[in-house]
Amino acid sequence: MKIGVLVSEGPYTHEAADSAYKFVTAALAAGHEVPRVFFYHDGVNVATRLSVPPQDERHIQRNWTTLAKEHGVDLVVCIAAAQRRGILDENEAKRQGKDTDNLAEGFRISGLGQLIEMAIQTDRLVTFGD
Amino acid sequence: MSDVKKFLYVNRKAPYGTIYALESLEVVLIGAAFEQDVALAFLDDGVFQLTKGQNTEEIGMKNFSPTFRALGDYDVQKLYVERESLEERGLSEDDLIEVVYEDEDDDWAEKPAIRVISRAEMSDVMAEADVILSF
């Protein structure tokens, strides 16, 4: 089955990004396809490469980055939600005159159309949120 | 792109206090370009999103309720509002803004897009949807 995933809560405050990660890992292991995960609302905060959790805690962003590398999952961060919350890729940081970008490897910033497209092209859309 | 799917946007939160309602509306507006079968559902505190006379001046937020009235122009013709949620909050259909769409099958007559339905009917609406986006 083709499954699309939406993450709509931020990391650490809420378990959504952890549950989504575990779900995607399990779905891939069971032979399903997960072509894309879309991050919306505070979910976009998962994508900051500047997150530095304590050593003995799970590293949510790094987990996702590894998953993207190993399984080719397309991690898409909503641009409108990301700009509100200060998640910028290199181009956007330049365009906005900021002194740094913070989008982690494996993620890309794009529009909400990517969420709708994912919902159209997959058999199921699974939301992790509040 | 595959066949047309039935999209249902479920709005369960008050318009202000959290960003869910505003960012849900942003998805609806972008999604309109994809020519899918779109409906919106309002239940729980989500019914407050459609109330008349919203004034956000003192909280420094944009009053986005007028945007709902433009949904007809985006070919969004179905806004389901749960009656029980209205009643539980002391509201009735008279407290809601007017949203109309032009019915192309009826000589572009203006028709109300808001349909107040029961909780049981809402469950049918959800069961019939292919994609549910819940905010």
Side-chain angles (χ1 to χ4, degrees), chain A residues 6 8-9 40-42 80-81 84-85 111-125 127 130, chain B residues 1-3 5 7 9 12-13 19-27 30-31 34 36 130-135:
Chain A
L6 169 63
S8 57
E9 290 296 335
Y40 197 41
H41 300 312
D42 278 359
R84 283 192 180 108
R85 295 162 177 88
L112 280 166
Q114 302 278 305
L115 167 62
I116 306 295
E117 185 190 79
M118 174 177 83
I120 292 170
Q121 292 175 349
T122 53
D123 302 306
R124 290 281 188 283
L125 172 68
T127 302
D130 212 0
Chain B
M1 197 179 286
S2 50
D3 292 335
K5 284 190 174 179
F7 274 67
Y9 295 91
R12 299 180 47 219
K13 304 240 171 49
I19 201 168
Y20 299 101
L22 174 65
E23 287 191 336
S24 167
L25 191 54
E26 288 182 351
V27 182
I30 298 289
F34 285 76
Q36 302 292 300
D130 296 311
V131 177
I132 294 183
L133 287 155
S134 181
F135 296 101

Side-chain angles (χ1 to χ4, degrees), chain A residues 5-72:
Chain A
V5 172
L6 169 63
V7 177
S8 57
E9 290 296 335
Y12 302 103
T13 300
H14 201 289
E15 202 177 332
D18 296 288
S19 304
Y21 170 74
K22 288 184 176 160
F23 173 81
V24 173
T25 306
L28 291 169
H32 297 292
E33 284 177 65
V34 184
R36 180 177 296 160
V37 177
F38 193 87
F39 295 84
Y40 197 41
H41 300 312
D42 278 359
V44 300
N45 290 318
V46 170
T48 176
R49 64 179 173 81
L50 301 180
S51 160
V52 193
Q55 295 281 345
D56 59 349
E57 270 184 34
R58 77 243 185 261
H59 196 306
I60 297 176
Q61 170 265 313
R62 196 184 295 149
N63 283 346
W64 282 104
T65 294
T66 305
L67 189 83
K69 259 192 218 162
E70 289 177 357
H71 297 279

Side-chain angles (χ1 to χ4, degrees), chain B residues 8 10 29 40 43-44 54 57 59 61 65 69-70 73 76 99-100 134:
Chain B
L8 181 67
V10 178
L29 296 175
L40 275 61
L43 51 148
D44 301 343
Q54 295 177 29
E57 228 167 276
I59 56 169
M61 310 278 284
S65 65
R69 290 208 299 267
D73 301 334
V76 177
V99 182
V100 295
S134 181

Side-chain angles (χ1 to χ4, degrees), chain B residues 77-95:
Chain B
Q77 307 180 349
K78 292 166 284 192
L79 275 65
Y80 298 105
V81 181
E82 191 185 81
R83 180 174 293 113
E84 286 87 341
S85 291
L86 285 173
E87 286 168 356
E88 284 160 8
R89 288 158 182 81
L91 297 170
S92 73
E93 196 165 356
D94 296 337
D95 296 306

